[in-house]
Amino acid sequence: MKRSQIVLIGAGNVAYHLGHRFHQQGLDVLQVFSRKKTKANKLAKQIKTKAITDLQQLDKNGDIYIIAVHDSAIALVAQQIKKLIPNKLVVHTSGATPSTVLKPFFKNYGIFYPLQTFSISRKVDFDNIPICIDSSRKKNREQLTHLAKSISQKAYHINDQQRAILHVAAVFVNNFSNHLFHIGQNIVDQENISFDLLRPLILETALKVQDQDASKMQTGPAIRGDDTTINRHLDYLDKHPHYKELYQLLTSSIKQ
Amino acid sequence: MKRSQIVLIGAGNVAYHLGHRFHQQGLDVLQVFSRKKTKANKLAKQIKTKAITDLQQLDKNGDIYIIAVHDSAIALVAQQIKKLIPNKLVVHTSGATPSTVLKPFFKNYGIFYPLQTFSISRKVDFDNIPICIDSSRKKNREQLTHLAKSISQKAYHINDQQRAILHVAAVFVNNFSNHLFHIGQNIVDQENISFDLLRPLILETALKVQDQDASKMQTGPAIRGDDTTINRHLDYLDKHPHYKELYQLLTSSIKQ
């Protein structure tokens, strides 16, 4: 299969990492669009392509147009480009938005969703990032799978319903666990104890479930039914009523 | 400072990993005690020392006696050995139990608490495990610090109150976050989606806070105030009322 020529619409975290990865793997990125000129220029320069700040300048020679903008802007962007590239394959990269948001605008539409948390300041191990692709047409799915496999070892066909469920689960394992790390950090900060004491524990907790079921890795006072320790913790948490409520709900959830 | 001779009382997860690390670092472990003969024999053989199953056989030539048994058994063990080694330095390895549980039995008592989650099936990177030591006597603290530094790069003097607080925070970042991983796994399992799709995300979430504040790493619909996505998630969670309650409390906690 011929290598697809890509147009990147967006220059945020996801577009930044996808763009760098495409470039690293020798794929053609024809253009990077961002409404913000400095952002578009910066990413375009880094991955040796052209920057545009006006969607009317969209290159019509692309094979795959990747919309990597905020969820709320996807439909807006789609509407603006539909007349320019009515027959092209247009995908978005969101875990939270159905593919069908693109249906009113394009015949060939789909999903190219890298399931990872991105920050511009951190390099990620792209080989291991699951790329979830979808399209209603088989030909498009094949093209997207081919693109996914050129940047990662893990390509999955995941439909809208499955992706919506994955996104809920991702909120639990990523957003909510980060919030628990934040609570742990707050607790020790307020007592002038270094968060460095907890960092290796956080890493090991994540490493343990890389090849094990999380249910089998559960430890701590709740699963042991150690009410002496639980009550000691609850006494301490009187000074953090909000954390206490979370502690109680999570403890009862583990005990179930 | 002369290298301490160690007696290990216990052969569970913590004793297992400490014993192996002491042995690896060339420290003298005089004996391993466990009430269970096969457990005592197994660990003793692995680290080339003697096994005992009766505390009356305790070697009196040790310098540091490490009680690594369940929290509820620490005082019981201490009582049984107090007359055998009344002047020796005796420590326990628990994060949840005050050092003072040993006070009625020994003049020289303290803490040797490796802040990590251990499973016999997993090797851990001991160099980076924070070892929290404490004792009411300076001489003992020095001896414990020396021992800690012989097995890890990170030795901390942490008193009973600080350790109790650390333990609460550890429950949030370790036990509770593992439970969230479990929930994520349950959600995708029930829809026949592989948990492998979420594993890289879990690892990256933990890696991000290794050199950053967790508060700065918060992402997701709650921190963005993206109520459209939150409501879509809550609709889905109607089939998991218990998870829905947790989702709501964690979301409101992030929003605060």
Side-chain angles (χ1 to χ4, degrees):
Chain A
M1 192 181 281
K2 159 180 170 294
R3 287 204 153 190
S4 302
Q5 306 216 84
I6 298 149
V7 173
L8 259 184
I9 300 168
N13 280 338
V14 175
Y16 174 91
H17 284 281
L18 280 179
H20 275 265
R21 182 63 172 175
F22 289 143
H23 179 61
Q24 184 187 34
Q25 300 297 92
L27 293 164
D28 281 338
V29 180
L30 298 183
Q31 282 179 330
V32 170
F33 162 82
S34 171
R35 231 172 285 278
K36 292 174 188 148
K37 195 173 180 179
T38 50
K39 263 184 123 175
N41 281 340
K42 192 177 170 189
L43 178 55
K45 195 178 169 190
Q46 288 169 342
I47 65 172
K48 298 190 171 56
T49 187
K50 288 186 252 355
I52 58 169
T53 56
D54 178 354
L55 284 171
Q56 298 308 311
Q57 298 171 317
L58 211 63
D59 190 324
K60 289 162 192 161
N61 298 310
D63 300 303
I64 303 179
Y65 291 75
I66 300 180
I67 303 178
V69 300
H70 283 173
D71 290 12
S72 56
I74 295 172
L76 218 70
V77 166
Q79 193 174 34
Q80 288 179 63
I81 63 175
K82 70 172 177 178
K83 282 188 185 154
L84 301 171
I85 48 166
N87 300 311
K88 298 289 184 171
L89 175 53
V90 180
V91 297
H92 74 66
T93 60
S94 166
T97 304
S99 65
T100 46
V101 71
L102 298 172
K103 198 176 177 180
F105 310 109
F106 306 103
K107 285 191 290 280
N108 297 292
Y109 64 91
I111 296 292
F112 194 81
Y113 168 47
L115 206 176
Q116 187 49 282
T117 170
F118 295 107
S119 319
I120 286 187
S121 59
R122 277 188 57 80
K123 275 207 168 186
V124 288
D125 170 20
F126 237 103
D127 267 341
N128 288 311
I129 296 179
I131 312 282
C132 304
I133 67 99
D134 191 25
S135 176
S136 56
R137 295 184 172 185
K138 191 178 170 215
K139 188 181 134 251
N140 295 335
R141 286 198 299 272
E142 285 170 357
Q143 200 173 354
L144 292 170
T145 300
H146 188 257
L147 181 64
K149 286 190 175 167
S150 68
I151 60 168
S152 167
Q153 289 170 16
K154 298 176 178 172
Y156 295 85
H157 176 215
I158 296 288
N159 66 30
D160 274 357
Q161 196 205 336
Q162 292 171 314
R163 198 159 37 83
I165 290 158
L166 263 176
H167 197 251
V168 178
V171 166
F172 275 96
V173 305
N174 165 237
N175 305 154
F176 290 165
S177 63
N178 185 79
H179 183 58
L180 297 180
F181 303 158
H182 176 44
I183 291 174
Q185 182 162 13
N186 265 352
I187 289 173
V188 295
D189 276 358
Q190 286 182 27
E191 309 277 354
N192 293 314
I193 302 168
S194 168
F195 186 50
D196 282 345
L197 277 144
L198 294 173
R199 287 187 158 113
L201 179 63
I202 288 171
L203 186 56
E204 178 66 9
T205 308
L207 285 169
K208 273 184 162 184
V209 299
Q210 293 304 304
D211 52 11
Q212 299 279 345
D213 282 356
S215 60
K216 289 181 187 146
M217 292 295 111
Q218 191 63 53
T219 56
I223 196 82
R224 285 200 308 271
D226 175 357
D227 289 326
T228 311
T229 299
I230 291 168
N231 289 329
R232 203 184 286 136
H233 288 176
L234 291 174
D235 283 347
Y236 169 74
L237 290 171
D238 278 339
K239 62 163 94 172
H240 300 286
H242 192 71
Y243 296 166
K244 186 172 182 169
E245 203 182 341
L246 270 172
Y247 187 103
Q248 284 168 317
L249 193 58
L250 284 158
T251 293
S252 86
S253 179
I254 292 172
K255 281 183 169 179
Q256 275 181 1
Chain B
M1 193 181 276
K2 158 180 171 294
R3 289 204 151 190
S4 302
Q5 306 216 81
I6 299 149
V7 174
L8 260 184
I9 301 169
N13 280 340
V14 175
Y16 174 92
H17 283 281
L18 280 179
H20 275 264
R21 181 64 172 174
F22 289 142
H23 179 61
Q24 184 187 34
Q25 299 297 91
L27 292 165
D28 281 338
V29 180
L30 298 182
Q31 282 178 331
V32 170
F33 163 83
S34 171
R35 231 171 285 276
K36 291 173 188 149
K37 196 173 179 177
T38 50
K39 263 185 123 174
N41 281 339
K42 191 176 172 190
L43 178 56
K45 195 178 170 191
Q46 288 169 340
I47 64 171
K48 299 193 169 56
T49 187
K50 288 185 249 5
I52 58 168
T53 55
D54 179 354
L55 284 171
Q56 298 307 311
Q57 298 170 316
L58 210 62
D59 191 323
K60 289 162 192 161
N61 296 311
D63 299 303
I64 304 180
Y65 292 75
I66 299 180
I67 303 177
V69 299
H70 284 172
D71 291 11
S72 56
I74 295 171
L76 218 70
V77 166
Q79 193 172 37
Q80 287 179 62
I81 63 175
K82 68 173 178 175
K83 282 189 185 154
L84 301 169
I85 47 165
N87 299 310
K88 297 290 185 173
L89 174 53
V90 180
V91 297
H92 74 66
T93 60
S94 164
T97 304
S99 64
T100 46
V101 71
L102 298 172
K103 198 176 179 181
F105 309 112
F106 306 103
K107 286 191 289 283
N108 298 291
Y109 64 92
I111 296 294
F112 193 82
Y113 168 49
L115 206 176
Q116 189 49 287
T117 170
F118 295 108
S119 319
I120 284 186
S121 59
R122 276 188 57 79
K123 274 209 170 186
V124 287
D125 170 18
F126 237 103
D127 269 340
N128 287 311
I129 296 179
I131 312 284
C132 304
I133 68 98
D134 192 26
S135 177
S136 56
R137 294 186 174 185
K138 191 178 171 217
K139 189 182 133 249
N140 294 335
R141 287 199 298 272
E142 285 170 358
Q143 200 174 355
L144 292 169
T145 301
H146 188 256
L147 181 64
K149 287 190 174 167
S150 68
I151 60 169
S152 167
Q153 290 171 16
K154 298 175 179 174
Y156 294 85
H157 176 214
I158 296 287
N159 65 31
D160 274 357
Q161 196 206 337
Q162 292 172 314
R163 198 160 37 83
I165 291 159
L166 263 175
H167 197 249
V168 178
V171 166
F172 276 94
V173 304
N174 165 236
N175 304 152
F176 291 165
S177 61
N178 185 78
H179 184 59
L180 296 180
F181 303 158
H182 180 197
I183 290 174
Q185 183 162 14
N186 264 352
I187 288 173
V188 295
D189 276 357
Q190 287 184 26
E191 310 277 354
N192 293 315
I193 303 167
S194 168
F195 186 50
D196 283 345
L197 277 143
L198 294 173
R199 286 188 158 112
L201 179 63
I202 288 172
L203 187 55
E204 178 65 10
T205 308
L207 285 168
K208 274 185 161 183
V209 299
Q210 294 304 304
D211 52 11
Q212 299 279 346
D213 281 356
S215 60
K216 290 181 186 145
M217 292 296 111
Q218 190 62 55
T219 56
I223 195 83
R224 284 200 308 273
D226 176 357
D227 289 327
T228 311
T229 300
I230 292 169
N231 289 330
R232 202 183 287 137
H233 289 175
L234 290 174
D235 284 347
Y236 170 74
L237 290 171
D238 278 340
K239 64 164 91 170
H240 299 285
H242 192 71
Y243 297 166
K244 186 172 183 170
E245 201 182 344
L246 270 173
Y247 186 105
Q248 285 167 316
L249 194 58
L250 284 158
T251 293
S252 86
S253 180
I254 291 172
K255 281 183 171 180
Q256 275 182 0

